[in-house]
Amino acid sequence: MIRNPLEIQDAVKKIRMLIAGYPGIGKSTLALSAPKPLHIDVDFGIDRIEPRYRKPYIQPASYQEILDDLTPENVKDFDTLVFDTGGKLISLMSLWAIQKDPKYGQRDGSLSLKGYGFVGKEFVRLMDYCFYTLQKNIVIVFHAVEEKDGDNTRLRIKVEGQTKNNVWEPMDLGGFVEIYGNDRTIGFSNCERYFAKGTRGIFGVRKIPALGPTSPNDFLTKLFEEYNATAAAEVEKNAKEQKAYEDAMAAGRAVIGTITDADTANAAMPEYKKIKHTKTSKRELDVEWNAKIKACGLTFDKSAKKYVAPAAPEDKEAK
Amino acid sequence: MSYLMTHSLLASWLYIMKDNPYEDATSTRDSYQEFLQTLRREPIPPTEAKAKGIEFEDLCYEIATGNFRPVWEPALNKKGIPKIDPNSGEPMGMTKYPRFYDAASQVADIIRGGQIQYKAKKLVEVNGMEFVLYGRLDTLKAGTIYDIKFSGSYDKGKYVDSTQHPTYMELIPEADQFTYVVSNGQNVWTETYRRDETASIFPVISDFVDWLYAVGLMETYKEHWKSL
């Protein structure tokens, strides 16, 4: 079914989110604040979560077990799948890949270059399956590690090899959890300390409210609601801007298409100037205009303020 | 008089600043020599990695603009004579695609329809000096500036400190984001910086100017980077 982009937001969008931070900072508890979560406790770390914040969970011993468990029937009562942690998930995925095909492994049991490629693709496939087929929110938790870069210390997600780049690709949001003073925060904007990912108005650093004896663990539930509320307005705004941009480009290209000589170029000028530009349409069209003028061999006479054709050889001789 | 200022020059300078503390700027380390070559606008022969990057970029552009034509290689018999299909009578052979073709196609899908190798310049004033900020954008399309990177050792966030997106965002005020499209020849990743995540390039230019004066290289810069 072909749909109008202005009508995209007719339902609550499912969200894919990555949470990273130091061990023990409360990432799992934060992840379980998402709506109706199923805790896929790959790390076997549920005992580190306060009992009142624990949610239904599975503790898969192999990646195949995860694949077997994540059927539409099994997860029908959940809105969110929390993978805790992503690093361990990828370790299980790596073992599974090597069992599947020995060429994905090396003698020491680590992944080969081909294996990294395969696991990266499998990760994206799993995320796509959870998102598109199962239609669930996804929250994936990663430990963070420090990396030195000159005088700077940066936080990176703890995953082996190039997989660390692939895990970011499908995510809508990615935030680093840190502690500032007594506050826990999650940052969604790129900064000197880490690479993060924010969209749909979820940017900057957010304070995570402290959990008291009676307070609900619902930070991500509220964040997802905010995301969806903003998303509707932002998608509409972006779609309008995109349409205005495409209209400007189409109008400009139509005018440029009429130019064949100096007369048509001069006739096209007022029409070209009338175009209402959005984003970078003016710069892009100006390149196409100049290319067409050049292709027609025209030059601009600044005093006459119009395009002129190069003088014919006989004219030159007459002069 | 105004002087050219490019992201490459700033990047070359920042590279030695990382390796080479301020007080040690006169050392003869390679990065410093390379910076001096850049400052004097002497050609630097491309490294193997750079050459690979250029090959990859060119392939992306060819595919994106519809100018790519795969090579058809005829099948030869033992005597070196092209084989003929006995059923159709046509010569037998196979279409050969260059290395990195799949990854380059993914990049081409991203940049297709944009203005490739868009040149931009802008007159700016920093520390009382006039500069012509100049950049050649890999692609400009619908409010996004794209830069293609070929990197064998890419980690997400690699370009957070780059002077490229701050420089280009200054050059194109209408752009709302800058996306690095990174490939190792197999995979393709994107790293996007919105305008609100992009620091101003002016403090970097200002520090560079101060440094040039401090180490006595300002005249060299002025001699080689005059804007015509």
Side-chain angles (χ1 to χ4, degrees):
Chain A
M1 179 176 67
I2 297 168
R3 299 171 70 185
N4 183 337
L6 291 170
E7 295 163 6
I8 276 174
Q9 209 59 34
D10 57 359
V12 173
K13 181 190 182 297
K14 298 297 177 192
I15 294 160
R16 290 156 291 190
M17 181 181 185
L18 184 156
I19 295 174
Y22 290 121
I25 204 166
K27 299 183 297 292
S28 301
T29 307
L30 177 66
L32 295 176
S33 70
K36 286 194 193 167
L38 168 66
H39 189 186
I40 302 162
D41 182 22
V42 199
D43 238 7
F44 283 56
I46 198 164
D47 53 327
R48 294 195 293 267
I49 300 171
E50 271 195 52
R52 62 190 160 131
Y53 301 130
R54 292 178 192 169
K55 299 287 178 183
Y57 68 99
I58 55 171
Q59 286 187 322
S62 68
Y63 180 59
Q64 189 58 50
E65 216 177 302
I66 297 177
L67 295 179
D68 294 342
D69 280 344
L70 294 185
T71 62
E73 178 60 23
N74 285 351
V75 298
K76 68 178 190 307
D77 295 331
F78 300 99
D79 285 342
T80 307
L81 302 176
V82 174
F83 292 93
D84 185 7
T85 61
K88 189 70 185 169
L89 170 70
I90 286 165
S91 297
L92 290 186
M93 217 178 249
S94 304
L95 291 172
W96 172 82
I98 295 167
Q99 276 170 6
K100 216 173 158 63
D101 191 335
K103 77 173 181 233
Y104 294 137
Q106 301 190 87
R107 281 183 187 174
D108 64 0
S110 61
L111 282 175
S112 63
L113 206 59
K114 271 191 175 168
Y116 277 120
F118 177 76
V119 167
K121 282 185 186 126
E122 176 58 21
F123 179 85
V124 174
R125 190 206 65 78
L126 176 69
M127 294 298 114
D128 285 350
Y129 169 72
C130 296
F131 184 74
Y132 295 108
T133 307
L134 299 178
Q135 297 188 352
K136 305 294 174 193
N137 297 308
I138 299 165
V139 178
I140 184 152
V141 176
F142 280 95
H143 290 309
V145 285
E146 285 186 350
E147 277 179 13
K148 281 273 177 198
D149 180 15
D151 292 338
N152 300 323
T153 303
R154 301 194 193 292
L155 290 177
R156 294 279 181 262
I157 59 171
K158 191 180 174 189
V159 192
E160 292 213 358
Q162 56 177 246
T163 321
K164 74 180 93 168
N165 300 319
N166 295 344
V167 299
W168 282 98
E169 290 302 310
M171 298 297 150
D172 299 304
L173 295 171
F176 274 81
V177 181
E178 292 190 284
I179 291 180
Y180 285 104
N182 293 324
D183 294 329
R184 274 193 316 149
T185 60
I186 181 162
F188 292 104
S189 289
N190 293 318
C191 63
E192 284 182 351
R193 280 185 54 70
Y194 48 74
F195 179 84
K197 198 168 181 179
T199 43
R200 303 280 180 264
I202 310 292
F203 300 125
V205 176
R206 305 282 182 109
K207 187 179 160 186
I208 303 166
L211 291 171
T214 55
S215 47
N217 184 26
D218 60 0
F219 180 81
L220 289 189
T221 301
K222 286 181 175 167
L223 190 81
F224 287 6
E225 283 168 8
E226 183 188 332
Y227 182 99
N228 274 313
T230 319
E234 199 173 314
V235 165
E236 191 176 344
K237 181 174 164 270
N238 288 348
K240 277 183 183 163
E241 275 181 14
Q242 185 63 23
K243 185 174 183 314
Y245 164 81
E246 282 167 10
D247 287 350
M249 293 300 290
R253 282 174 177 153
V255 173
I256 293 166
T258 64
I259 300 172
T260 51
D261 54 21
D263 289 341
T264 49
N266 291 322
M269 266 202 295
E271 290 305 307
Y272 187 70
K273 284 179 183 166
K274 272 189 216 164
I275 294 166
K276 280 192 174 177
H277 289 286
T278 315
K279 297 187 176 200
T280 46
S281 62
K282 181 170 184 335
R283 287 178 185 273
E284 293 176 62
L285 284 171
D286 282 354
V287 173
E288 293 183 22
W289 174 279
N290 290 337
K292 190 64 182 279
I293 294 296
K294 194 177 170 189
C296 293
L298 306 176
T299 51
F300 192 70
D301 182 336
K302 282 182 184 168
S303 55
K305 290 184 179 169
K306 63 179 193 177
Y307 287 99
V308 289
E314 54 269 31
D315 293 343
K316 279 183 188 168
E317 282 167 20
K319 281 175 190 172
Chain B
M1 175 67 71
S2 55
Y3 302 92
L4 268 183
M5 182 59 68
T6 66
H7 135 71
S8 312
L9 178 62
L10 293 171
S12 171
W13 170 65
L14 283 176
Y15 189 67
I16 57 164
M17 289 294 98
K18 232 184 211 178
D19 278 352
N20 202 359
Y22 190 87
E23 62 272 20
D24 191 28
T26 52
S27 80
T28 52
R29 292 171 64 160
D30 283 347
S31 57
Y32 188 68
Q33 286 308 318
E34 271 189 23
F35 166 72
L36 287 179
Q37 279 179 282
T38 307
L39 191 66
R40 294 188 207 110
R41 302 187 83 173
E42 292 166 2
I44 301 171
T47 58
E48 196 187 329
K50 196 162 185 185
K52 231 186 234 180
I54 293 168
E55 177 194 339
F56 181 74
E57 243 182 76
D58 289 346
L59 182 59
C60 295
Y61 297 145
E62 277 183 25
I63 299 169
T65 54
N67 290 322
F68 173 76
R69 298 286 175 271
V71 178
W72 193 83
E73 224 169 59
L76 304 175
N77 64 18
K78 282 177 188 170
K79 291 177 184 170
I81 298 165
K83 286 183 181 172
I84 302 294
D85 187 319
N87 297 320
S88 65
E90 297 286 321
M92 290 168 72
M94 64 187 292
T95 307
K96 284 213 132 186
Y97 288 84
R99 62 179 180 167
F100 314 139
Y101 178 79
D102 289 344
S105 297
Q106 288 180 56
V107 176
D109 286 345
I110 296 171
I111 63 168
R112 186 171 289 117
Q115 288 303 331
I116 286 167
Q117 295 288 302
Y118 181 86
K119 291 178 190 133
K121 59 183 178 182
K122 184 179 178 182
L123 195 65
V124 298
E125 195 184 307
V126 182
N127 288 12
M129 267 179 88
E130 264 195 3
F131 296 96
V132 175
L133 205 55
Y134 176 83
R136 198 165 59 187
L137 287 53
D138 283 351
T139 303
L140 178 65
K141 179 180 156 186
T144 301
I145 301 164
Y146 294 96
D147 193 79
I148 302 168
K149 299 282 186 206
F150 191 85
S151 170
S153 60
Y154 173 65
D155 273 347
K156 206 82 172 175
K158 180 174 180 174
Y159 302 104
V160 69
D161 285 337
S162 173
T163 49
Q164 193 162 11
H165 58 281
T167 305
Y168 289 10
M169 288 290 235
E170 185 60 43
L171 282 168
I172 314 285
E174 310 95 307
D176 26 60
Q177 59 183 22
F178 184 110
T179 297
Y180 295 95
V181 186
V182 192
S183 179
N184 59 358
Q186 282 188 315
N187 301 80
V188 176
W189 303 283
T190 56
E191 188 172 313
T192 296
Y193 294 89
R194 297 186 311 273
R195 186 164 284 281
D196 65 287
E197 293 173 319
T198 304
S200 166
I201 194 62
F202 292 133
V204 182
I205 299 174
S206 172
D207 287 351
F208 179 54
V209 168
D210 288 347
W211 182 86
L212 286 174
Y213 276 121
V215 298
L217 285 171
M218 181 47 97
E219 287 312 309
T220 310
Y221 168 70
K222 283 184 172 175
E223 184 188 340
H224 294 280
W225 292 80
K226 270 182 205 136
S227 173
L228 303 173

